[in-house]
Amino acid sequence: MKDFAFGKENFMLIVAAVVLIIVGFALMSGGGSPDGVSFNYAIFSKQRIVVAPIVTVLGFALVVVGILIKPKDNNPESGAVNKKA
């Protein structure tokens, strides 16, 4: 098996983070006026002002965690030095 910089846990965290970011941006969408001229107060809903940015920032933070966390080494012979000499 090839040596990857990230382990399976890292990839799963990054995928979950990308899903969170997409959900956050989806929560921010909408709120347009029906005719394109009138003002729609739906753009100031708590979903768009509070919830969506928090979900998006949590997604970006999870990407950072997914990148920085050290992958577990399941193969004991992959470079570990045996100290019995």
Side-chain angles (χ1 to χ4, degrees):
M1 185 171 170
K2 288 187 169 188
D3 290 334
F4 290 110
F6 297 131
K8 183 178 180 181
E9 296 85 12
N10 297 86
F11 284 118
M12 295 304 289
L13 281 174
I14 293 171
V15 166
V18 169
V19 169
L20 266 179
I21 293 169
I22 291 171
V23 167
F25 278 110
L27 289 172
M28 279 189 235
S29 67
S33 62
D35 59 359
V37 178
S38 62
F39 185 74
N40 188 357
Y41 286 99
I43 63 170
F44 295 119
S45 69
K46 290 188 184 213
Q47 171 185 325
R48 290 185 181 90
I49 300 295
V50 178
V51 177
I54 290 173
V55 171
T56 306
V57 169
L58 286 175
F60 283 117
L62 193 59
V63 167
V64 171
V65 169
I67 291 172
L68 292 180
I69 198 166
K70 187 174 181 180
K72 295 177 183 171
D73 190 17
N74 292 333
N75 189 1
E77 298 175 6
S78 66
V81 178
N82 197 355
K83 300 222 176 199
K84 293 181 183 178

